[in-house]
Amino acid sequence: MQDIEKFVQGFGRFQQRYFGDTHALYDSLRARQTPGTLLIGCCDSRVDPMLLTGSDPGDLFVVRNIANLVPPCTPDAPPGVSSAIEFAVCNLEVERVIVLGHARCGGIRALMGPRQPQGETDFVGRWMKIAEPVARQVRGTLGHRGLDEQHKACEMASILHSLDNLLTYPWIKRRVDEGKLKLHGWYFDIESGALMAYSARRQQFLPLVCPLTRP
């Protein structure tokens, strides 16, 4: 019950901030939302997109799933994630899509580990098959390296895989080609506190926000 009370008190602070004396933001949001960014992130409780980016309500349209994956555009694509992406791009006409991955991702570690079906349904295993090509590639090129290095490589490569899968949606590809939509791959290093962004020109992740220098 202590957690519930924490959440209720947290809502009280939220209410005071956005519905108290200064309520202009929600006055403007009451009729409709106009976020400029779709962020596809992981469900991991340590990686809250709103908290990490210091966003206010209305800034981000957020889609979260295990390992921040984007399924390719196929007739049997999972409709939950695909429909949210479709709504953000086609209805809200966001200007950018950020795929935000992170270090120590449990979904990626499960993908890279021995295959162990979970219970009767194994929804997690079935979902993570989206990134199986990435896992095979990492095992093939880095199989002689340590597990931590393999996992990090797979975490980063899966972000690029999701960016590639975004371009299989015709309405995304069309808007990208027209210069109306930008795609970004970001990686949050939980261990150092750094934020990395993929550079297509350099073909690697480069620091957007460097780690803090500790005394």
Side-chain angles (χ1 to χ4, degrees):
M1 292 303 294
Q2 184 177 1
D3 286 342
I4 293 296
E5 184 59 31
K6 176 181 177 179
F7 302 150
V8 173
Q9 291 176 1
F11 184 84
R13 292 191 294 272
F14 163 83
Q15 183 188 61
Q16 287 296 322
R17 179 175 180 180
Y18 291 108
F19 290 87
D21 295 335
T22 305
H23 51 75
L25 177 59
Y26 264 96
D27 284 348
S28 66
L29 291 174
R30 211 164 269 135
R32 65 191 184 102
Q33 59 171 325
T34 57
T37 300
L38 162 64
L39 190 146
I40 301 168
C42 184
C43 293
D44 194 302
S45 61
R46 302 165 295 177
V47 189
D48 186 309
M50 299 291 288
L51 185 62
L52 292 180
T53 60
S55 294
D56 285 317
D59 288 345
L60 296 176
F61 189 87
V62 179
V63 177
R64 300 180 71 175
N65 61 66
I66 292 178
N68 43 268
L69 299 182
V70 174
C73 184
T74 61
D76 59 346
V81 172
S82 300
S83 64
I85 294 172
E86 181 183 64
F87 182 77
V89 174
C90 297
N91 293 71
L92 299 177
E93 297 184 343
V94 295
E95 299 172 356
R96 68 194 62 82
V97 180
I98 299 171
V99 178
L100 174 63
H102 67 96
R104 301 290 177 179
C105 178
I108 295 298
R109 286 179 175 269
L111 175 66
M112 293 293 292
R115 183 76 176 92
Q116 295 180 341
Q118 299 184 13
E120 299 176 8
T121 53
D122 192 30
F123 288 135
V124 174
R126 288 157 58 187
W127 172 254
M128 290 306 300
K129 285 183 179 180
I130 294 171
E132 182 57 43
V134 175
R136 286 198 301 268
Q137 181 184 24
V138 170
R139 292 189 196 102
T141 58
L142 297 176
H144 61 291
R145 308 300 287 266
L147 288 180
D148 284 346
E149 186 174 346
Q150 291 184 50
H151 291 162
K152 184 174 182 177
C154 192
E155 288 160 354
M156 290 183 167
S158 70
I159 296 171
L160 306 185
H161 187 61
S162 286
L163 292 175
D164 288 341
N165 283 348
L166 282 171
L167 291 174
T168 65
Y169 293 81
W171 24 270
I172 289 181
K173 179 69 162 57
R174 186 162 52 247
R175 291 182 67 84
V176 169
D177 290 344
E178 293 171 351
K180 297 179 179 178
L181 183 67
K182 301 292 185 183
L183 306 183
H184 304 271
W186 286 6
Y187 180 82
F188 169 46
D189 189 335
I190 288 178
E191 296 179 12
S192 70
L195 180 65
M196 316 287 286
Y198 183 72
S199 168
R201 184 173 63 85
R202 298 280 295 273
Q203 295 190 332
Q204 61 180 316
F205 282 85
L206 300 175
L208 268 182
V209 182
C210 294
L212 293 174
T213 301
R214 297 180 180 178

